[in-house]
Amino acid sequence: MSQTQPQVQYRDDYQPPHYWIDTLDLDIQLHDTATEVVAISRVHRNGEHNEPLVLNGEQLELLSVSVNGIETTQFEQEENALVLPQVPQEFVLTIRNRINPSANTALEGLYKSGDAFCTQCEAQGFRRITYYLDRPDVLARFSTRITADATTCPFLLSNGNRVGQGVLDDGRHWVQWQDPFPKPAYLFALVAGDFDVLRDSYTTHSGREVSLEIFVDKGNLHRAGHAMDSLKASMRWDEQRCNLEYDLDIYMIVAVDFFNMGAMENKGLNVFNAKFVLADAETATDDDYLDVERVIGHEYFHNWTGNRVTCRDWFQLSLKEGLTVFRDQEFSSDLGSRTVNRISNVRIMRGPQFAEDAGPMAHPIRPDAVIEMNNFYTLTVYEKGSEVIRMLHTLLGEQAFQAGLALYLQRFDGQAATCDDFVAAMSEASGRDLTRFKRWYSQSGTPELTVRDAYDADTQRYTLTVQQHTPPTKDQPEKLPLHIPLSVALYSEQGEPISLYLNGQPADAVLDVLENEQEFVFERVPSRPVPALLQGFSAPVKLDYLYTDEQLTLLARVSLDEFVRWDAVQMLINNTVRHNMALLQRRQAPVLPRSLLDVFRCTLEDSGIDRALKAEMLTLPDVNSLLELFEQANIEQLCEVRQHLAKELAEALIPAWQQAYEENQTPEYRIDHDDMARRALKNTALGYLALTGDQTRVADQFAAADNMTDTLGALRAAVRGELDCRHSMLTQFEQKWRNDGLVLDNWFRLQATAPGADTLARVRELMTHPTFSLTNPNRVRALIGAFCQGNPAQFHRIDGAGYDLLTEVLTTLNDSNPQVASRLLTPFIQFRRLDDGRQSLIKQRLQQLMALPSLSRDLYEKISKALD
Ligand code: B3K
Ligand code: ZN
């Protein structure tokens, strides 16, 4: 650990800033190792006080400080701060400092991505560019003048509008940008480099023309078209569904290779991980196409929910992220398949988000205590945050929800707001009391909903007794009852829907569960019904209802709600896994229940189901999600049970898989829902066929494929099925794509997630591959991240060799890129459900990391909690 213990910040300690900054004029002279920054701010005191002006700054070389144009020595440099004890009421502050972009491996602040300069300022990266009030409630008007070498950096970009440019005698040139909208420093961006540019334009619904520009590495222009289409679709969607129009004359997106996460919504100048911009049939899969659309949408939607209205402090992060994830999910659902989108969101909730809730980093969607803010860009803040917004949408309905959103945006436009402000606007616009609902913002953990029922044939009454209970989490021992929308339908045993009546009135499908225990008595129920509970995952909870296999089979077949059909199959699978784990413990052979086999067969044969949904229904949950079904489980056995189940389903249905495979060939590659659904189903079938040893189909598809979806479908099937042909296929793939990092990431990922005891050795070998580097986050995630998160059987080897690998990598990344290190750490801190032996092996490694001489705040926060 470093000398000083990292400090915890508490949400309750929020204080408005002692000073405001109205304008910031930046002058940045770009040089690889010595960039000079001049920052001129107009500052004024906030109220009457004698507090010093304390500016944040990290890893800066201070050159001079002037107040009202006169250089001063009346300041102190503290660790990560510049303190000016006595300043006028209102003044102009000029700071000159130097930074070294080339040495910036943390990829926060100003850094180099290949030959280009770029920035990442959220959450607290601006303080690595200059001394500033780096907090989201200080909003200033920015102007930025960038000067750089004209040959290596023909493009000089920043936020807002380009208002001037010029050429200098020394081979350098400059561009001046002016952003008319006041913004916090985290939305600042600068990019300088040489790119190919795709240009287009969009006319907004009020008739303004906006220039659209996408900057990509030279030679990649042909891969930017889908991003452009997605951007225009996002702009249209936000106008049509939310009545929100873009506000600047230009919208720029830059794709870079070195990026810690997906993308960043800087005002007018989004910076993207190239993975979420570049796509063509040859190099991108169908899922990559959908990811590009989703992330382009997400960053665009931030322009209103995040930029025009931002967060008062970082504890409010879900105010912009939960809401914007909800918006991007709705966008994807309106453009594609709503059910399939819902399923993929729910898989994330039930797998990694529930695991986060059960681990040492459990926190409410609005956290209360933070050491390193970058550690809180979590599934809880984002995905559960979106579920909370979705519940509001369910409770209020589309119209009142949109009215609430409009009120919130209008009331706080140009300001920094809180989650309370948002809920207040929603409540006011809808007239609904959201007092109890607000607990979702302050309570962590996954609530459990236990539902029991009784039917009285004489009175034709059907009673649901609903109990809610949230188990204590690491951060919060006491839990209160929440407002849980529980969506319900009833079916007769013949599969007919039964109308709902409560208290003599026709009733809505959504029940308001508010208390620890509540009863709902349905009237006029002609026979004992089968309930469909938590339809569409109407709340982020775990459901406990003792479904029989017959009931689940019925729901999978007849439910009017497609999500319920998928969910019923999932529950059948879960029941089977639980049962087989119990058998294994008694040293008995696992079984494939007739009911599950029949459901798979009927699903395959049912021509009335959308093919994409069919593919989802036929896909087993991953091991990490299955682990969430148990308090504690032997992970090796769980992998064995899952693998056995997959093989049995494959063998038992060979003709049906073959038929699904043959019937869903797509003659030419088109990106539309129907063809994507066919490919999804075809490749799902191929995966099962590979488990039966079907080399021919796999090898033929690989040889004939004209698109990346089918190429990878075959490669994945070969690797997962451990077919002999996998070796030559992997070699061919590498030879073809060895110069394309993004494509090769699939190759790393597949090998990292391969079954087989030699995988770890192969991963170590791949770390020496010429295209692999620990300095590139995409490569690290594709190889190391995929192995540790996506290959539980090999990562959790009982000899601890998988744990050693992660420990080594984390030791290196702790120094070079703590943010990436901190993400990779996840499987090391979520050990609660593993057996005691593995837990103690992991804890040894964590202690080893804890003793590192310069442990980053990022790792310190998580490891100290995990070991506590
Ligand atoms: N707001 C950024 C995430 C920043 C992460 C900082 N560690 C991207 C997004 O959510 O849109
Ligand atoms: Zn976001």
Side-chain angles (χ1 to χ4, degrees), residues 760 764 794-807 828 838 841-842 844-845:
L760 175 64
R764 284 194 176 275
Q794 297 310 315
F795 173 65
H796 293 290
R797 284 161 56 129
I798 197 64
D799 64 0
Y803 302 154
D804 287 336
L805 174 78
L806 182 55
T807 310
F828 253 8
R838 285 184 172 82
L841 289 177
I842 291 178
Q844 282 166 20
R845 278 26 174 225

Side-chain angles (χ1 to χ4, degrees), residues 29-36 99-102 112 117 147 172:
Q29 297 276 346
L30 289 172
H31 293 280
D32 279 0
T33 55
T35 287
E36 281 199 22
I99 46 181
N100 182 352
S102 291
K112 301 251 3 220
F117 291 88
T147 309
R172 292 167 67 81

Side-chain angles (χ1 to χ4, degrees), residues 434-443 480-482 514:
L434 298 172
T435 319
R436 180 150 297 191
F437 184 83
K438 272 175 73 172
R439 287 183 185 161
W440 282 105
Y441 283 88
S442 50
Q443 194 157 290
L480 297 166
L482 296 160
L514 291 149

Side-chain angles (χ1 to χ4, degrees), residues 182-204:
K183 63 168 177 289
Y186 83 86
L187 289 173
F188 169 77
L190 174 158
V191 173
D194 195 4
F195 303 97
D196 277 343
V197 194
L198 182 64
R199 294 175 208 275
D200 204 330
S201 73
Y202 178 83
T203 308
T204 68

Side-chain angles (χ1 to χ4, degrees), residues 24-31 34-40 95 97-99 101 109-110 117-119 121 126 128-130 142-149 156-159 168 172-177 188-192:
L24 173 64
D25 299 323
L26 289 165
D27 184 341
I28 301 180
Q29 297 276 346
L30 289 172
H31 293 280
T35 287
E36 281 199 22
V37 180
V38 181
I40 305 175
I95 294 188
N97 67 278
R98 198 178 285 136
I99 46 181
L110 178 68
F117 291 88
C118 69
T119 54
C121 294
F126 192 74
R128 291 166 183 245
I129 297 176
T130 186
F142 281 57
S143 81
T144 308
R145 182 182 155 116
I146 312 168
T147 309
D149 181 81
L156 305 176
L157 314 174
S158 191
N159 320 85
L168 304 171
R172 292 167 67 81
H173 70 148
W174 61 273
V175 175
Q176 175 87 38
W177 293 84
F188 169 77
L190 174 158
V191 173

